[in-house]
Amino acid sequence: MIQDQQQDPIYGVFAEQIGFAESFVIFDWDIYQEIFLNAISDVISTKSPSEALREAQQQINNILPDTGVFPVIREVQEQAQETASQ
């Protein structure tokens, strides 16, 4: 069934990602919604799609935590700090 879905011209790209694609946590849906709505408005008004997407990507990168997409569990982080200080 996956091989058939991979041939679909619209949805095939998603079927091809099975086995290695990952999602990330959306920390604040309202912020993401605002970023994408602004990108769509920019394309409708003046900007190229690639320019609007680059700006949206930068805005999203700016709101992601420094620890990465998956936050470090506080207990593990505290244990690591204790071990490092010893």
Side-chain angles (χ1 to χ4, degrees):
M1 186 173 178
I2 293 173
Q3 290 174 344
D4 291 340
Q5 291 175 346
Q6 288 174 332
Q7 302 305 314
D8 187 282
I10 296 173
Y11 302 109
V13 65
F14 300 105
E16 290 175 4
Q17 295 179 25
I18 292 174
F20 63 87
E22 293 183 20
S23 296
F24 65 92
V25 179
I26 294 179
F27 298 101
D28 187 340
W29 170 250
D30 294 329
I31 292 174
Y32 284 87
Q33 184 177 19
E34 181 181 341
I35 290 170
F36 287 114
L37 288 175
N38 287 340
I40 291 167
S41 295
D42 288 346
V43 170
I44 291 171
S45 63
T46 59
K47 293 183 181 171
S48 70
S50 60
E51 182 181 0
L53 286 174
R54 272 194 300 276
E55 288 180 11
Q57 178 183 9
Q58 182 61 43
Q59 291 172 357
I60 291 171
N61 286 340
N62 288 340
I63 63 173
L64 292 176
D66 292 336
T67 58
V69 176
F70 300 103
V72 176
I73 298 171
R74 184 178 302 260
E75 292 175 12
V76 172
Q77 188 176 23
E78 289 171 358
Q79 289 174 357
Q81 289 174 348
E82 287 176 14
T83 302
S85 65
Q86 294 176 354

